[in-house]
Amino acid sequence: RKRGALMARQSKKSTQFDKALQASEERFRTLIVRNADGMLIIDCDGCIHFANPAAEALLGRSAEELRGAVFGFPLVVGETAEIEALQRGGGFRTAEMRVVETVWDGKAMFLASLRDVTERKRSEDAANMEARVSSTLVEVGRALTALLDPSTMLQRLCQLTTKTLRCDWSYTLLWNPQEESYVLAAGHDDAQRGRESVRKSELSHVALSTLAQRLERHDTVSAAELPVDIRKLLGRESGVYMALRRDSRLVGVQTAGFHDRSRAFSPEQQRIAQGIAQVASLAFANTSLLRELQHANQFKTDFLALISHELRTPMSIVLGYVHLLLDGEFGRMKGEQTEILRRIEQNARSLLQLVSMTLDASLLESRREPVEIRSVNLADMLGQIESETLELRRKSQLRFKWNVEV
Protein backbone atom coordinates (compact mmCIF):
# COMPACT_ATOMS: atom_id res chain seq x y z
CA ARG A 1 0.00 0.00 0.00
CA LYS A 2 2.84 2.40 0.80
CA ARG A 3 4.49 1.60 -2.50
CA GLY A 4 1.31 2.37 -4.38
CA ALA A 5 0.94 5.71 -2.63
CA LEU A 6 4.53 6.61 -3.50
CA MET A 7 3.99 5.80 -7.16
CA ALA A 8 0.81 7.88 -7.18
CA ARG A 9 2.65 10.86 -5.77
CA GLN A 10 5.47 10.47 -8.36
CA SER A 11 2.94 10.21 -11.17
CA LYS A 12 1.24 13.35 -9.95
CA LYS A 13 4.57 15.22 -9.81
CA SER A 14 5.46 13.98 -13.30
CA THR A 15 2.13 15.21 -14.59
CA GLN A 16 2.64 18.57 -12.94
CA PHE A 17 6.18 18.76 -14.41
CA ASP A 18 4.88 17.94 -17.88
CA LYS A 19 2.21 20.59 -17.57
CA ALA A 20 4.78 23.14 -16.38
CA LEU A 21 7.12 22.19 -19.22
CA GLN A 22 4.27 22.47 -21.71
CA ALA A 23 3.29 25.86 -20.28
CA SER A 24 6.93 26.99 -20.50
CA GLU A 25 7.14 25.84 -24.10
CA GLU A 26 3.91 27.67 -24.89
CA ARG A 27 5.27 30.87 -23.32
CA PHE A 28 8.50 30.38 -25.28
CA ARG A 29 6.57 29.93 -28.53
CA THR A 30 4.42 32.97 -27.75
CA LEU A 31 7.52 35.03 -27.03
CA ILE A 32 9.07 33.95 -30.34
CA VAL A 33 5.91 34.51 -32.36
CA ARG A 34 5.29 38.01 -30.94
CA ASN A 35 8.91 39.13 -30.98
CA ALA A 36 9.61 42.25 -33.07
CA ASP A 37 12.81 40.62 -34.35
CA GLY A 38 12.74 37.83 -36.88
CA MET A 39 13.00 34.42 -35.23
CA LEU A 40 13.97 31.21 -37.03
CA ILE A 41 14.21 27.66 -35.64
CA ILE A 42 16.84 25.80 -37.66
CA ASP A 43 18.06 22.25 -37.37
CA CYS A 44 21.65 21.01 -37.54
CA ASP A 45 21.35 20.52 -41.30
CA GLY A 46 20.43 24.17 -41.81
CA CYS A 47 16.75 23.55 -42.61
CA ILE A 48 14.16 25.95 -41.25
CA HIS A 49 11.45 24.46 -39.00
CA PHE A 50 9.71 27.63 -37.86
CA ALA A 51 9.57 31.33 -38.75
CA ASN A 52 7.71 34.04 -36.87
CA PRO A 53 5.80 36.87 -38.66
CA ALA A 54 8.73 39.31 -38.29
CA ALA A 55 10.99 36.79 -40.07
CA GLU A 56 8.38 36.40 -42.81
CA ALA A 57 8.38 40.17 -43.38
CA LEU A 58 12.17 40.42 -43.27
CA LEU A 59 12.82 37.50 -45.63
CA GLY A 60 9.86 38.27 -47.91
CA ARG A 61 8.53 34.68 -47.66
CA SER A 62 5.60 33.10 -45.84
CA ALA A 63 6.14 30.65 -43.00
CA GLU A 64 4.93 27.82 -45.23
CA GLU A 65 7.49 28.75 -47.91
CA LEU A 66 10.28 29.00 -45.35
CA ARG A 67 9.48 25.72 -43.57
CA GLY A 68 11.83 23.05 -44.90
CA ALA A 69 13.94 25.54 -46.89
CA VAL A 70 17.69 25.69 -46.39
CA PHE A 71 18.67 28.85 -44.49
CA GLY A 72 21.93 29.28 -46.44
CA PHE A 73 23.96 31.23 -43.87
CA PRO A 74 26.55 29.79 -41.45
CA LEU A 75 25.29 29.44 -37.89
CA VAL A 76 27.92 30.37 -35.30
CA VAL A 77 26.67 30.29 -31.71
CA GLY A 78 27.46 33.33 -29.59
CA GLU A 79 28.63 35.60 -32.44
CA THR A 80 26.91 38.49 -34.19
CA ALA A 81 26.91 38.58 -38.00
CA GLU A 82 25.33 40.67 -40.74
CA ILE A 83 23.41 39.00 -43.55
CA GLU A 84 21.81 40.33 -46.73
CA ALA A 85 18.35 38.86 -47.34
CA LEU A 86 17.12 38.88 -50.95
CA GLN A 87 13.54 40.10 -51.28
CA ARG A 88 10.99 38.46 -53.53
CA GLY A 89 10.55 41.60 -55.67
CA GLY A 90 14.28 42.34 -55.79
CA GLY A 91 16.49 44.31 -53.45
CA PHE A 92 18.04 43.32 -50.16
CA ARG A 93 17.32 43.79 -46.48
CA THR A 94 20.21 43.88 -44.02
CA ALA A 95 19.81 41.94 -40.76
CA GLU A 96 21.95 41.54 -37.68
CA MET A 97 21.93 37.86 -36.67
CA ARG A 98 22.66 36.16 -33.33
CA VAL A 99 22.47 32.37 -32.86
CA VAL A 100 21.86 30.36 -29.69
CA GLU A 101 21.19 26.67 -29.05
CA THR A 102 17.69 25.63 -28.00
CA VAL A 103 15.27 22.69 -27.85
CA TRP A 104 12.25 22.62 -30.12
CA ASP A 105 9.68 19.82 -30.04
CA GLY A 106 12.12 17.83 -27.96
CA LYS A 107 14.97 18.14 -30.46
CA ALA A 108 18.22 20.15 -30.35
CA MET A 109 17.87 23.16 -32.61
CA PHE A 110 19.36 26.59 -33.31
CA LEU A 111 17.44 29.80 -32.65
CA ALA A 112 18.50 32.56 -35.06
CA SER A 113 17.44 36.05 -34.06
CA LEU A 114 17.34 38.51 -37.01
CA ARG A 115 17.15 42.26 -36.35
CA ASP A 116 16.39 44.45 -39.36
CA VAL A 117 19.13 47.12 -39.56
CA THR A 118 18.50 48.13 -43.19
CA GLU A 119 17.61 51.76 -42.44
CA ARG A 120 20.46 52.12 -39.97
CA LYS A 121 22.91 50.76 -42.55
CA ARG A 122 21.53 53.12 -45.17
CA SER A 123 21.98 56.06 -42.82
CA GLU A 124 25.51 54.96 -41.98
CA ASP A 125 26.36 54.42 -45.64
CA ALA A 126 24.90 57.82 -46.54
CA ALA A 127 26.86 59.52 -43.78
CA ASN A 128 30.07 57.77 -44.83
CA MET A 129 29.45 58.71 -48.47
CA GLU A 130 28.89 62.36 -47.54
CA ALA A 131 32.11 62.32 -45.52
CA ARG A 132 34.05 60.96 -48.51
CA VAL A 133 32.37 63.43 -50.86
CA SER A 134 33.11 66.36 -48.55
CA SER A 135 36.75 65.32 -48.18
CA THR A 136 37.11 65.03 -51.96
CA LEU A 137 35.49 68.41 -52.62
CA VAL A 138 37.69 70.10 -50.01
CA GLU A 139 40.77 68.85 -51.86
CA VAL A 140 39.34 69.97 -55.21
CA GLY A 141 38.43 73.38 -53.83
CA ARG A 142 41.85 73.85 -52.24
CA ALA A 143 43.59 73.00 -55.53
CA LEU A 144 41.38 75.27 -57.67
CA THR A 145 41.31 78.34 -55.41
CA ALA A 146 45.12 78.34 -55.29
CA LEU A 147 45.20 79.13 -59.04
CA LEU A 148 44.63 82.72 -60.17
CA ASP A 149 44.90 82.37 -63.94
CA PRO A 150 41.53 81.32 -65.51
CA SER A 151 43.08 79.16 -68.25
CA THR A 152 45.35 77.33 -65.80
CA MET A 153 42.49 76.86 -63.36
CA LEU A 154 40.17 75.37 -66.03
CA GLN A 155 42.86 72.96 -67.24
CA ARG A 156 43.46 71.83 -63.65
CA LEU A 157 39.69 71.49 -63.19
CA CYS A 158 39.52 69.00 -66.07
CA GLN A 159 42.37 66.96 -64.62
CA LEU A 160 40.82 66.91 -61.13
CA THR A 161 37.39 66.03 -62.50
CA THR A 162 38.82 63.04 -64.37
CA LYS A 163 40.75 61.92 -61.29
CA THR A 164 38.04 62.33 -58.65
CA LEU A 165 35.25 60.82 -60.77
CA ARG A 166 37.60 58.05 -61.97
CA CYS A 167 36.47 58.59 -65.56
CA ASP A 168 38.23 58.82 -68.93
CA TRP A 169 37.72 62.43 -70.04
CA SER A 170 36.61 65.89 -68.95
CA TYR A 171 36.17 69.13 -70.91
CA THR A 172 35.19 72.73 -70.22
CA LEU A 173 32.92 74.65 -72.60
CA LEU A 174 32.50 78.38 -71.95
CA TRP A 175 29.84 80.71 -73.31
CA ASN A 176 31.25 83.18 -75.86
CA PRO A 177 28.92 86.22 -76.12
CA GLN A 178 30.55 87.45 -79.34
CA GLU A 179 29.96 84.15 -81.16
CA GLU A 180 26.79 83.36 -79.15
CA SER A 181 27.92 79.77 -78.64
CA TYR A 182 29.84 77.54 -76.25
CA VAL A 183 33.51 77.04 -77.15
CA LEU A 184 36.11 74.59 -75.90
CA ALA A 185 38.25 76.21 -73.19
CA ALA A 186 40.11 73.27 -71.61
CA GLY A 187 40.19 69.48 -71.62
CA HIS A 188 41.79 66.33 -70.32
CA ASP A 189 41.51 63.15 -72.39
CA ASP A 190 44.01 60.43 -73.25
CA ALA A 191 42.31 59.82 -76.59
CA GLN A 192 42.45 62.35 -79.41
CA ARG A 193 39.09 61.17 -80.69
CA GLY A 194 37.50 62.53 -77.52
CA ARG A 195 38.75 66.05 -78.17
CA GLU A 196 37.59 65.90 -81.79
CA SER A 197 34.16 64.80 -80.63
CA VAL A 198 33.91 67.77 -78.28
CA ARG A 199 35.06 70.15 -81.01
CA LYS A 200 32.26 68.87 -83.24
CA SER A 201 29.75 69.41 -80.45
CA GLU A 202 30.73 73.08 -80.36
CA LEU A 203 29.16 73.43 -83.78
CA SER A 204 25.90 71.96 -82.56
CA HIS A 205 24.19 75.05 -81.18
CA VAL A 206 20.84 73.23 -80.94
CA ALA A 207 22.27 70.42 -78.81
CA LEU A 208 24.09 72.77 -76.42
CA SER A 209 21.06 75.05 -76.16
CA THR A 210 18.89 72.12 -75.08
CA LEU A 211 21.51 71.06 -72.55
CA ALA A 212 21.87 74.63 -71.27
CA GLN A 213 18.13 74.87 -70.66
CA ARG A 214 18.29 71.83 -68.41
CA LEU A 215 21.38 73.11 -66.59
CA GLU A 216 19.56 76.36 -65.84
CA ARG A 217 17.41 74.31 -63.43
CA HIS A 218 19.90 71.67 -62.23
CA ASP A 219 23.57 71.61 -61.22
CA THR A 220 24.16 68.36 -63.12
CA VAL A 221 22.51 66.53 -65.99
CA SER A 222 23.39 62.97 -67.00
CA ALA A 223 23.54 61.97 -70.65
CA ALA A 224 20.85 59.38 -69.98
CA GLU A 225 18.41 62.21 -69.19
CA LEU A 226 18.86 63.73 -72.65
CA PRO A 227 16.96 62.65 -75.76
CA VAL A 228 18.79 60.22 -78.02
CA ASP A 229 19.10 62.73 -80.87
CA ILE A 230 20.66 65.32 -78.53
CA ARG A 231 23.17 62.74 -77.23
CA LYS A 232 24.17 61.99 -80.81
CA LEU A 233 24.62 65.69 -81.58
CA LEU A 234 26.80 66.05 -78.50
CA GLY A 235 28.84 63.06 -79.62
CA ARG A 236 28.54 61.41 -76.20
CA GLU A 237 26.28 58.49 -75.33
CA SER A 238 27.33 58.45 -71.68
CA GLY A 239 28.56 61.09 -69.29
CA VAL A 240 27.56 63.87 -66.96
CA TYR A 241 27.30 67.62 -67.59
CA MET A 242 27.92 70.13 -64.79
CA ALA A 243 26.80 73.76 -64.71
CA LEU A 244 29.38 76.51 -64.28
CA ARG A 245 27.68 79.62 -62.96
CA ARG A 246 28.51 83.17 -62.07
CA ASP A 247 25.96 85.13 -60.06
CA SER A 248 23.41 82.36 -60.77
CA ARG A 249 23.98 82.87 -64.52
CA LEU A 250 25.11 79.89 -66.61
CA VAL A 251 28.51 80.73 -68.10
CA GLY A 252 29.85 77.30 -69.00
CA VAL A 253 29.51 73.52 -68.98
CA GLN A 254 31.92 71.05 -67.40
CA THR A 255 31.68 67.59 -68.95
CA ALA A 256 32.96 64.18 -67.84
CA GLY A 257 32.45 60.58 -68.93
CA PHE A 258 33.73 57.23 -70.12
CA HIS A 259 34.81 55.96 -73.52
CA ASP A 260 33.01 52.69 -72.73
CA ARG A 261 29.30 53.39 -73.28
CA SER A 262 28.27 50.60 -70.90
CA ARG A 263 29.86 52.31 -67.90
CA ALA A 264 27.89 54.73 -65.74
CA PHE A 265 28.54 56.96 -62.74
CA SER A 266 27.62 55.66 -59.28
CA PRO A 267 25.41 57.72 -56.92
CA GLU A 268 28.54 58.77 -55.03
CA GLN A 269 30.25 59.92 -58.23
CA GLN A 270 27.11 61.84 -59.22
CA ARG A 271 27.12 63.52 -55.81
CA ILE A 272 30.80 64.46 -56.28
CA ALA A 273 29.98 65.83 -59.75
CA GLN A 274 27.30 68.04 -58.24
CA GLY A 275 29.81 69.35 -55.70
CA ILE A 276 32.43 69.92 -58.40
CA ALA A 277 29.92 72.08 -60.29
CA GLN A 278 29.50 74.32 -57.24
CA VAL A 279 33.20 74.45 -56.29
CA ALA A 280 34.30 75.07 -59.89
CA SER A 281 31.71 77.85 -60.28
CA LEU A 282 33.12 79.61 -57.23
CA ALA A 283 36.73 79.18 -58.40
CA PHE A 284 35.88 80.38 -61.93
CA ALA A 285 34.06 83.42 -60.53
CA ASN A 286 37.09 84.26 -58.37
CA THR A 287 39.56 84.03 -61.28
CA SER A 288 37.23 86.05 -63.52
CA LEU A 289 36.84 88.71 -60.85
CA LEU A 290 40.61 88.84 -60.37
CA ARG A 291 41.11 89.24 -64.11
CA GLU A 292 38.61 92.10 -64.16
CA LEU A 293 40.38 93.74 -61.23
CA GLN A 294 43.70 93.41 -63.06
CA HIS A 295 42.20 95.05 -66.14
CA ALA A 296 40.75 97.84 -64.00
CA ASN A 297 44.09 98.32 -62.26
CA GLN A 298 45.89 98.44 -65.62
CA PHE A 299 43.41 101.03 -66.86
CA LYS A 300 44.08 103.11 -63.75
CA THR A 301 47.83 102.85 -64.27
CA ASP A 302 47.57 103.83 -67.93
CA PHE A 303 45.27 106.72 -67.06
CA LEU A 304 47.65 108.06 -64.41
CA ALA A 305 50.59 107.78 -66.77
CA LEU A 306 48.72 109.65 -69.50
CA ILE A 307 47.47 112.41 -67.21
CA SER A 308 50.86 112.82 -65.56
CA HIS A 309 52.61 113.12 -68.92
CA GLU A 310 50.07 115.62 -70.24
CA LEU A 311 50.38 117.74 -67.09
CA ARG A 312 54.18 117.73 -66.91
CA THR A 313 54.61 119.24 -70.39
CA PRO A 314 52.61 122.46 -69.79
CA MET A 315 54.07 122.84 -66.29
CA SER A 316 57.58 122.80 -67.75
CA ILE A 317 56.55 125.54 -70.18
CA VAL A 318 55.06 127.64 -67.35
CA LEU A 319 58.30 127.38 -65.39
CA GLY A 320 60.27 128.36 -68.47
CA TYR A 321 58.30 131.55 -68.96
CA VAL A 322 58.47 132.39 -65.24
CA HIS A 323 62.26 132.17 -65.40
CA LEU A 324 62.28 134.41 -68.47
CA LEU A 325 60.23 136.99 -66.59
CA LEU A 326 62.48 136.78 -63.53
CA ASP A 327 65.57 137.21 -65.73
CA GLY A 328 64.09 140.36 -67.24
CA GLU A 329 63.75 138.99 -70.75
CA PHE A 330 60.42 140.83 -71.12
CA GLY A 331 61.34 143.92 -69.13
CA ARG A 332 62.43 144.73 -65.63
CA MET A 333 60.14 143.40 -62.87
CA LYS A 334 59.26 145.42 -59.79
CA GLY A 335 59.84 144.07 -56.28
CA GLU A 336 56.26 142.98 -55.69
CA GLN A 337 56.04 141.40 -59.16
CA THR A 338 59.27 139.49 -58.57
CA GLU A 339 57.95 138.12 -55.28
CA ILE A 340 54.75 136.91 -56.95
CA LEU A 341 56.71 135.25 -59.77
CA ARG A 342 58.92 133.45 -57.25
CA ARG A 343 55.80 132.11 -55.49
CA ILE A 344 54.47 130.96 -58.84
CA GLU A 345 57.80 129.28 -59.54
CA GLN A 346 57.83 127.54 -56.13
CA ASN A 347 54.30 126.19 -56.45
CA ALA A 348 54.84 125.19 -60.06
CA ARG A 349 57.96 123.25 -59.10
CA SER A 350 56.05 121.46 -56.32
CA LEU A 351 53.28 120.56 -58.72
CA LEU A 352 55.77 119.40 -61.37
CA GLN A 353 57.51 117.22 -58.79
CA LEU A 354 54.18 115.71 -57.76
CA VAL A 355 53.28 115.01 -61.39
CA SER A 356 56.71 113.45 -62.02
CA MET A 357 56.35 111.22 -58.96
CA THR A 358 52.90 110.10 -60.11
CA LEU A 359 54.26 109.28 -63.56
CA ASP A 360 57.20 107.37 -62.11
CA ALA A 361 54.91 105.42 -59.77
CA SER A 362 52.59 104.42 -62.60
CA LEU A 363 55.54 103.30 -64.73
CA LEU A 364 56.95 101.30 -61.82
CA GLU A 365 53.60 99.67 -61.12
CA SER A 366 53.03 98.68 -64.74
CA ARG A 367 56.68 97.56 -65.08
CA ARG A 368 56.96 99.13 -68.49
CA GLU A 369 57.65 102.41 -70.26
CA PRO A 370 54.59 103.64 -72.16
CA VAL A 371 55.40 103.96 -75.85
CA GLU A 372 53.07 105.58 -78.35
CA ILE A 373 53.91 105.15 -82.02
CA ARG A 374 52.37 107.78 -84.30
CA SER A 375 53.28 110.25 -87.03
CA VAL A 376 54.49 113.66 -85.83
CA ASN A 377 55.64 116.91 -87.37
CA LEU A 378 59.35 116.94 -86.66
CA ALA A 379 59.67 120.74 -86.85
CA ASP A 380 56.82 121.21 -84.36
CA MET A 381 58.26 118.60 -82.03
CA LEU A 382 61.72 120.20 -82.02
CA GLY A 383 60.15 123.60 -81.46
CA GLN A 384 58.31 122.22 -78.44
CA ILE A 385 61.52 120.71 -77.07
CA GLU A 386 63.31 124.05 -77.58
CA SER A 387 60.65 125.84 -75.52
CA GLU A 388 60.65 123.26 -72.76
CA THR A 389 64.46 123.18 -72.40
CA LEU A 390 65.01 126.92 -72.59
CA GLU A 391 65.95 127.25 -68.93
CA LEU A 392 68.31 124.28 -69.01
CA ARG A 393 70.11 125.60 -72.09
CA ARG A 394 70.55 129.06 -70.60
CA LYS A 395 72.13 127.67 -67.41
CA SER A 396 74.53 125.30 -69.18
CA GLN A 397 77.61 125.93 -71.30
CA LEU A 398 76.22 123.82 -74.12
CA ARG A 399 74.70 125.22 -77.27
CA PHE A 400 71.85 123.51 -79.11
CA LYS A 401 70.93 123.97 -82.74
CA TRP A 402 68.08 122.30 -84.65
CA ASN A 403 67.88 122.34 -88.37
CA VAL A 404 65.02 120.56 -90.16
CA GLU A 405 65.35 120.17 -93.87
CA VAL A 406 62.13 119.61 -95.74
Side-chain angles (χ1 to χ4, degrees), residues 2 46-47 54 80 82 123-124 147 151 182 216 240 272:
K2 291 182 179 179
C47 293
T80 301
E82 280 190 2
S123 298
E124 291 176 354
L147 301 173
S151 299
Y182 288 90
E216 289 286 355
V240 63
I272 292 175

Side-chain angles (χ1 to χ4, degrees), residues 13-32:
K13 288 182 179 179
S14 178
T15 302
Q16 291 175 343
F17 177 78
D18 290 340
K19 289 182 179 180
L21 180 61
Q22 184 178 2
S24 176
E25 288 180 351
E26 289 296 329
R27 287 194 299 271
F28 180 59
R29 285 176 178 268
T30 301
L31 179 63
I32 290 178

